[in-house]
Amino acid sequence: MSAVFVILRAGPLDPVAAILGQRQNPVLAHQIRLQLGIIRPDGSPVPLWEQYLEFMWGLITLEFGQSWVISRGTPVMDLIVARAPITIWLGFWSVMIALLIGIPLGFYAGLNPNTSSDYLASFGGIVWRAMPNFWLAIILSSVLVSSQFFTESLFGVALSWREWLWDTGVIGGPPLDNLADPEQLFAAIKWIMPAAIVLGSSSMGNEMRIGRTAVLETINSNYIETARAKGLTGRVIVWKHVFRNALIPLVPIISGEAFLLVGGSVLVELVFGINGLGKLTFDAISSADLTMAGGILFIFAVFLQIMNIIQDFLYTLIDPRIGYEQ
Amino acid sequence: MSKTVTQTKSLGERILAQPGPALVWVLGLLLLCALEMGAIAEMTVAIVGGLASSFAAVATAVLGGPVMPSIAGTIAGGLESATTIAAGLPDLVSRSVIPNQGYQTPDGVWHGTFLGLEPKYAWLLRVALVYGYIFVFLWWLWRGYRAYVDHYRTADWTPRDDMVRRLRSHSWGKFGLVVVICFVGMAMFAPTISPSTGEQNMYNMNAYDIQYYNSDAGSVEEISVLQANFQSASQGSGSQNVGLWQYDDFDRFHPFGTLTSPGQDLFTFMAYGARISLLVGSVAIGIALALAAGLGMITAYYKGLADLTVVFVSDTIQSLPSLLVLMLASMVFSHHWLGKIYNGGLLLAVMFGIVYFPNMWRSIRGPALQVAEEEWVDAAKSYGQRSSTTMRKHMLPYILGYLLIYGSMSIGGVIIGTAGLTFLGFGINPPIPEWGRAISMGQAYVTTPAWHISLLPGLLIVVVVTGFNALGDGIRDAMDPESEGEDTSAGVGATGGGA
């Protein structure tokens, strides 16, 4: 976070100029500087180290100050809290997609190595991983928006994604205030699905590749042979011995998804027009709203640290050999 | 070692003893270079010119003062004369040998193209010639290596022979190598293989005129490229669209179609965009690798405090979401001189290098620690060899291969990241072409007849990134057959996706 401070305060960008834009007004500029804590009331500049202490203290107490440009005067924290739910919803489903599609596919490929379906899955995983998120988002959203036209020309049946099963939009985010109602819940899931697929795509490819390798490795190990020798059925071997051990190398990939999600959410939310944290980050950075950007970066960093802790915790849960005693 | 083995001669002596194969090879190399003299000279001038002008820009920005313009003027003058000299040199695969820009009169005859061929075929011929030249050149280099191995190397066998053999039988790795060569060739020969030049197509459209046959007036007329581009832009509707493999109204051939207004040729855009992608990617990876290798050896050699410091620094960098930091940095520096060099390219490359190094350092740390424990390092230490010499001579060769693997696997991430940032409007600023900008231009036209604008750059990114990953896989399997199947790339931050 200190690095962020350096970029924000000691960098070449003048926050006052960013706030005022074209309208230069010495009196106003003075007021803003005062408000930001850059100068003292008598006009002398506050030394950088004092600014730094104040900045760090603000981070610890979650007091990020007020937004400068996007919404003048609103505390940064309020904006973040208001935008967070839709991003969490998106992130949750993209993780689910990656887990529920990537891992089973990878395990399937690992259990049937060197078959044509294995090659198909592996190749798909490699290519899937190399796809830029934002490009996939553009293609998918555009195709879905005019899905009616495509299905009609391809299959002869006009099937609109917008009206399919539940009536939702393609662009934008679903309302999340009434999830208890199953109808609303499913509509919200369907609405977020394309964006979640895009966001989850790269980690999905990863999980598939790692899952395949992990299964291949476990299946060739001695204890599996022993289990087979004592006459365990294939199903028990797979579920009890292979599955659990193959999960271990997947843990860092799953928690590493958090990094992909944070970066990817900016691009995906922008393309899909979802008004979440990613969009807020983009707006904050492109309009030089530095307190806002700093606050969001801090929240993201904290989130990533929490994910790291959860990862270590998961390790001990899945693999009892790993402990904190050593 | 050479003191103990008496029969060892230097390479020069060995060649003198048997000059035949070496002579043939050198002659062939000279012939190949002579064919391309003009391009080589032009490229040198271009690189020197780019560096000089950016230094001049920096110097002007930093120092200011009246001295700078005159120096810049001198540089520019010198460069201009160098360019003219370079242009005069023979050049087999240049545009001027096989021109593809011309016009067709109603009788079906093409004017101005190579042998009166249709521009399509003239262009294809040129592309084939360029790639043929590239592959012949590389094949000749390979032959040189084989000649060295067969005739001049004293050892019958080295571990590298096995590596080469494994790489040669690794079809996935070879696929990657071919893709990478095609991509690098596209970047290097961008002015030659693109249907129109970058100068004419992007940077200075108004300064060039083209001839075309006006069927209404029934005569050959001239129009500025800017005007022509505006009229051949792809806007998505049927009448206003130049798609794949089509000619526009001015008889110009567009293999990938045109962009939205002004309708530049997409292939030219992509070819020049490959340059910046490759440049940013390789500079970033170079910085990251240098940092990772240097710090990796230092931490493995000294351990203790040095190790802890680097762990702390890399943890700090890794705890930040890299894409957001990059966005922030390119925003903050957008009006700073650092952000102006190469329209933001240098800043981006440096930032990517810094952001990517912790991951690589972590991957290299294991092997580096391993080699630091070896007896030969201990022996070198006790002989009183300087620590920097020990690192360079006894540790670096061991981790060099790992660097190659991680470099190849991470460059895809940089290419995607650059495209993503440019797509967002940060990153590389116009007029320098970048693939991400083409994608964002075509965003609104994906389901219209102008789908090529977004789709093709994205597909090309996928192919190139897959190619780099495959090459990395191949090198890894070649170096360490034990690791076959293990997924190193996941350890190196999963090239791709993130952006």
Side-chain angles (χ1 to χ4, degrees):
Chain A
M1 277 329 280
S2 304
V4 173
F5 172 81
V6 172
I7 293 181
L8 294 183
R9 290 288 166 87
L13 199 69
D14 181 12
V16 181
I19 296 171
L20 285 177
Q22 297 302 318
R23 303 167 283 120
Q24 295 296 348
N25 180 346
V27 184
L28 206 57
H30 181 80
Q31 272 177 7
I32 291 167
R33 286 206 178 89
L34 205 60
Q35 201 186 336
L36 293 175
I38 297 176
I39 54 168
R40 293 214 172 84
D42 57 8
S44 62
V46 178
L48 261 183
W49 65 268
E50 263 178 43
Q51 288 187 37
Y52 177 72
L53 283 185
E54 206 167 306
F55 180 78
M56 290 314 265
W57 181 246
L59 290 183
I60 293 164
T61 54
L62 293 183
E63 280 295 329
F64 303 124
Q66 297 178 342
S67 162
W68 298 348
V69 188
I70 294 181
S71 149
R72 275 290 302 279
T74 323
V76 167
M77 206 53 205
D78 290 3
L79 277 173
I80 292 178
V81 169
R83 302 285 191 96
I86 185 72
T87 301
I88 294 172
W89 185 246
L90 169 67
F92 172 74
W93 280 106
S94 64
V95 171
M96 289 319 272
I97 288 268
L99 288 183
L100 295 180
I101 299 180
I103 295 184
L105 264 182
F107 280 15
Y108 174 78
L111 290 173
N112 306 287
N114 299 330
T115 56
S116 54
S117 48
D118 168 36
Y119 287 137
L120 191 69
S122 302
F123 186 73
I126 291 165
V127 173
W128 203 240
R129 207 178 52 179
M131 275 186 201
N133 266 348
F134 63 98
W135 175 72
L136 197 60
I138 290 173
I139 304 295
L140 193 63
S141 62
S142 313
V143 168
L144 286 181
V145 163
S146 51
S147 53
Q148 216 159 348
F149 162 75
F150 273 99
T151 45
E152 188 157 24
S153 56
L154 286 177
F155 310 113
V157 190
L159 184 66
S160 164
W161 170 261
R162 210 183 293 269
E163 286 150 20
W164 182 63
L165 295 183
W166 296 279
D167 196 8
T168 54
V170 176
I171 301 299
L176 292 176
D177 28 288
N178 201 7
L179 288 182
D181 178 16
E183 181 85 0
Q184 289 258 344
L185 177 69
F186 284 116
I189 293 174
K190 185 198 142 192
W191 199 329
I192 209 74
M193 217 22 89
I197 289 174
V198 170
L199 196 48
S201 64
S202 58
S203 29
M204 192 166 97
N206 262 336
E207 273 161 25
M208 219 188 71
R209 295 251 299 167
I210 307 284
R212 176 178 180 273
T213 327
V215 166
L216 270 180
E217 247 166 45
T218 15
I219 224 164
N220 290 328
S221 53
N222 293 333
Y223 58 85
I224 298 293
E225 204 139 311
T226 317
R228 198 168 284 142
K230 72 182 185 189
L232 279 185
T233 56
R235 182 193 300 261
V236 176
I237 291 176
V238 167
W239 285 110
K240 198 155 181 231
H241 296 284
V242 175
F243 187 74
R244 203 167 154 171
N245 282 302
L247 271 183
I248 296 168
L250 277 169
V251 170
I253 307 298
I254 296 170
S255 60
E257 248 180 70
F259 284 82
L260 294 178
L261 292 186
V262 167
S265 68
V266 176
L267 291 152
V268 171
E269 284 185 10
L270 202 68
V271 175
F272 277 97
I274 297 170
N275 212 1
L277 278 185
K279 180 81 173 13
L280 186 65
T281 318
F282 174 76
D283 290 341
I285 293 179
S286 54
S287 60
D289 193 340
L290 293 183
T291 44
M292 189 80 236
I296 298 176
L297 266 179
F298 179 70
I299 293 282
F300 277 145
V302 168
F303 167 69
L304 295 177
Q305 288 310 317
I306 292 173
M307 283 309 291
N308 272 342
I309 294 167
I310 291 178
Q311 168 191 335
D312 292 347
F313 185 67
L314 270 180
Y315 263 133
T316 57
L317 213 66
I318 294 178
D319 189 353
R321 282 172 301 180
I322 300 174
Y324 288 106
E325 297 85 52
Q326 295 148 348
Chain B
M1 221 173 18
S2 53
K3 281 175 194 161
T4 51
V5 187
T6 41
Q7 79 267 28
T8 311
K9 297 184 218 156
S10 73
L11 180 63
E13 287 167 332
R14 275 174 272 155
I15 289 179
L16 277 181
Q18 191 194 8
L23 211 61
V24 171
W25 185 75
V26 169
L27 281 178
L29 188 70
L30 284 178
L31 184 72
L32 281 172
C33 283
L35 287 176
E36 263 303 272
M37 209 52 225
I40 292 169
E42 252 171 83
M43 205 157 69
T44 323
V45 172
I47 290 169
V48 171
L51 285 178
S53 61
S54 47
F55 276 127
V58 172
T60 322
V62 178
L63 304 173
V67 198
M68 281 305 145
S70 66
I71 295 179
T74 324
I75 294 174
L79 282 174
E80 216 158 287
S81 53
T83 317
T84 17
I85 295 169
L89 292 169
D91 191 353
L92 170 70
V93 293
S94 82
R95 328 180 43 83
S96 47
V97 176
I98 307 178
N100 71 318
Q101 284 167 309
Y103 56 90
Q104 190 181 28
T105 41
D107 52 3
V109 178
W110 287 92
H111 299 273
T113 60
F114 177 66
L115 298 177
L117 276 172
E118 228 182 287
K120 190 181 346 190
Y121 299 117
W123 175 77
L124 273 178
L125 190 67
R126 202 166 66 211
V127 171
L129 200 64
V130 168
Y131 276 109
Y133 178 82
I134 293 172
F135 280 102
V136 166
F137 193 85
L138 289 174
W139 174 75
W140 195 253
L141 288 184
W142 166 244
R143 278 228 21 205
Y145 174 71
R146 289 307 310 170
Y148 164 73
V149 168
D150 290 343
H151 300 288
Y152 304 114
R153 196 168 68 182
T154 40
D156 285 337
W157 177 89
T158 64
R160 195 184 292 135
D161 286 0
D162 272 1
M163 281 183 210
V164 171
R165 184 177 49 75
R166 280 195 291 263
L167 188 62
R168 288 186 68 179
S169 59
H170 195 286
S171 44
W172 178 236
K174 275 192 294 187
F175 160 77
L177 187 64
V178 170
V179 170
V180 169
I181 290 173
C182 287
F183 171 67
V184 174
M186 188 174 175
M188 276 174 60
F189 290 87
T192 317
I193 64 168
S194 41
S196 171
T197 60
E199 185 67 15
Q200 199 186 75
N201 191 43
M202 280 166 300
Y203 302 126
N204 217 348
M205 284 186 271
N206 228 348
Y208 290 86
D209 285 333
I210 51 162
Q211 287 185 318
Y212 74 108
Y213 181 78
N214 189 335
S215 51
D216 292 336
S219 62
V220 175
E221 290 181 2
E222 278 203 352
I223 187 170
S224 83
V225 173
L226 184 67
Q227 285 297 323
N229 278 351
F230 264 119
Q231 288 178 43
S232 51
S234 293
Q235 304 280 12
S237 62
S239 61
Q240 183 62 280
N241 186 45
V242 181
L244 279 187
W245 221 249
Q246 281 179 3
Y247 291 93
D248 62 12
D249 295 342
F250 305 96
D251 287 337
R252 296 182 300 175
F253 175 60
H254 300 288
F256 281 6
T258 57
L259 287 166
T260 61
S261 113
Q264 298 133 323
D265 178 57
L266 182 58
F267 191 91
T268 310
F269 190 92
M270 302 284 288
Y272 280 82
R275 279 191 161 181
I276 179 105
S277 290
L278 184 69
L279 196 86
V280 171
S282 43
V283 170
I285 294 302
I287 291 173
L289 285 180
L291 277 174
L295 291 175
M297 285 191 295
I298 287 171
T299 52
Y301 190 85
Y302 292 111
K303 305 190 181 71
L305 188 64
D307 201 25
L308 272 180
T309 317
V310 181
V311 166
F312 178 74
V313 171
S314 75
D315 270 356
T316 312
I317 295 175
Q318 278 190 314
S319 74
L320 290 168
S322 54
L323 194 75
L324 304 192
V325 173
L326 280 164
M327 277 168 67
L328 198 63
S330 44
M331 176 65 207
V332 166
F333 284 99
S334 57
H335 297 296
H336 195 242
W337 58 266
L338 195 60
K340 294 233 166 88
I341 303 173
Y342 213 47
N343 291 22
L346 182 75
L347 174 73
L348 217 56
V350 171
M351 288 301 295
F352 266 116
I354 292 171
V355 167
Y356 267 64
F357 105 84
N359 237 328
M360 279 187 206
W361 172 72
R362 258 163 214 282
S363 315
I364 283 169
R365 190 160 167 254
L369 277 173
Q370 217 174 333
V371 72
E373 295 299 316
E374 295 285 356
E375 274 147 11
W376 66 76
V377 173
D378 217 17
K381 223 186 275 185
S382 49
Y383 268 119
Q385 196 173 37
R386 284 228 318 276
S387 48
S388 60
T389 321
T390 311
M391 284 183 217
R392 205 178 54 243
K393 284 197 155 168
H394 301 295
M395 290 168 71
L396 187 61
Y398 186 79
I399 59 171
L400 212 57
Y402 293 91
L403 293 177
L404 211 60
I405 299 172
Y406 297 130
S408 175
M409 290 208 166
S410 316
I411 198 167
V414 179
I415 291 175
I416 291 186
T418 314
L421 283 171
T422 314
F423 169 77
L424 287 176
F426 305 107
I428 315 287
N429 303 317
I432 291 198
E434 218 289 335
W435 294 0
R437 189 151 352 96
I439 296 180
S440 93
M441 278 182 193
Q443 193 177 354
Y445 303 103
V446 174
T447 51
T448 66
W451 49 268
H452 56 267
I453 303 173
S454 259
L455 200 70
L456 287 178
L459 279 181
L460 225 66
I461 291 179
V462 174
V463 171
V464 167
V465 172
T466 309
F468 273 111
N469 286 349
L471 181 63
D473 274 337
I475 299 174
R476 184 199 55 214
D477 290 345
M479 287 208 339
D480 185 7
E482 298 274 308
S483 75
E484 191 132 16
E486 263 174 55
D487 209 332
T488 344
S489 60
V492 206
T495 250

